Amino acid sequence: MNREQVHQAFELTVLETLLGMQCHEENRLAESAQLELTDLLRLMGSGGGWVLLPLRAEEQIARLTNLLIQLRTRVMCSLKLLGAPLEDEEQMALMNLSFLARHPHLRSRYPLAKELLAQHEPVEDMLEVLYIEFSAVEATVKRMQNQLSNASDLMKLRLSTKENELLLLHSCIYIVSCLVGFGAYVTGLFAMNAQNSFQDVDDSCLIIVLITLGIIF
């Protein structure tokens, strides 16, 4: 390996290391969010604790949502920065700073010289690999956002179902209260000293009981 190749390899290694560290950090945050999301989905899938689940899950869902939005924004910015030079060979060629330092006469030449343009291939290979890695992280974050959105919708749906059940129970209690009140009214009517023709009817009490049962059922 000659001196120029050594300098070029070192320069690309430094750039690849810095971008690789950023990609690794984003991937670590995505994995941490995935574990937390998995625990949340397991809790929701168990079907238990729906009285306390909204209190426990609401804050967690909000925090995960904000985290995934920030994470995806950073990854998208990285993809945009990597994609810009990939579309332009001249930009990738000009990233060979060590080559330009050894050939200063090529800096002011435009269009770029062929020997400078030929230096873009190693940079292109490195950027393509990093672009693929960041794209994988972005796809993972997008998938988690969809899962979190579905989990939030499912929780709202189940809460609405419970709310409807409570409203139905409240209606039943209200109806029973009305019937009990009607029975109390009839009992009071028979207990009063006021005269009415219905009291003289045979089996009037049985009629009232049957009417009450008919209203109930």
Side-chain angles (χ1 to χ4, degrees):
M1 181 179 293
N2 56 38
R3 181 180 178 183
E4 181 172 317
Q5 291 175 332
V6 171
H7 280 280
Q8 187 181 61
F10 175 77
E11 183 176 345
L12 293 180
T13 300
V14 172
L15 183 60
E16 184 177 10
T17 300
L18 293 176
L19 294 176
M21 290 175 60
Q22 181 182 357
C23 183
H24 176 74
E25 178 63 18
E26 306 294 353
N27 189 55
R28 185 188 65 81
L29 292 175
E31 291 178 351
S32 177
Q34 179 65 64
L35 292 176
E36 190 171 352
L37 178 59
T38 301
D39 293 337
L40 177 61
L41 295 177
R42 185 182 299 112
L43 176 62
M44 296 180 64
S46 64
W50 277 102
V51 177
L52 299 178
L53 181 59
L55 300 177
R56 299 168 55 187
E58 183 178 0
E59 182 180 355
Q60 189 176 8
I61 290 177
R63 185 168 57 82
L64 276 175
T65 300
N66 294 332
L67 175 62
L68 292 177
I69 290 176
Q70 296 175 5
L71 182 58
R72 189 176 182 187
T73 300
R74 292 200 300 266
V75 173
M76 292 298 294
C77 290
S78 300
L79 288 174
K80 185 177 181 180
L81 292 175
L82 290 172
L86 280 173
E87 298 176 355
D88 191 346
E89 293 183 356
E90 293 183 352
Q91 291 188 26
M92 289 185 288
L94 292 173
M95 291 174 66
N96 289 277
L97 302 179
S98 57
F99 183 83
L100 289 174
R102 290 188 297 274
H103 303 83
H105 63 282
L106 298 177
R107 299 177 185 176
S108 58
R109 291 183 58 181
Y110 192 84
L112 300 181
K114 293 182 179 180
E115 56 268 28
L116 179 57
L117 287 175
Q119 303 299 317
H120 82 279
E121 294 183 357
V123 179
E124 183 178 10
D125 294 339
M126 179 197 66
L127 293 180
E128 286 181 348
V129 172
L130 290 171
Y131 191 89
I132 293 174
E133 293 179 355
F134 275 102
S135 297
V137 177
E138 193 269 339
T140 301
V141 174
K142 184 178 180 179
R143 175 176 53 81
M144 286 191 293
Q145 285 181 319
N146 293 333
Q147 290 179 336
L148 188 60
S149 177
N150 294 335
S152 179
D153 293 340
L154 177 60
M155 186 181 70
K156 292 178 181 179
L157 179 61
R158 292 188 177 181
L159 288 176
S160 298
T161 302
K162 297 298 181 181
E163 182 180 1
N164 292 335
E165 292 177 356
L166 289 176
L167 289 176
L168 180 60
L169 178 61
H170 178 269
S171 300
C172 293
I173 294 175
Y174 180 78
I175 293 174
V176 172
S177 300
C178 292
L179 294 175
V180 172
F182 177 74
Y185 166 76
V186 173
T187 302
L189 183 63
F190 276 92
M192 296 176 62
N193 294 326
Q195 295 294 325
N196 57 76
S197 58
F198 187 73
Q199 292 178 349
D200 299 330
V201 177
D202 295 337
D203 300 327
S204 59
C205 183
L206 179 60
I207 294 174
I208 293 299
V209 171
L210 293 177
I211 293 175
T212 304
L213 293 176
I215 295 176
I216 294 176
F217 298 103

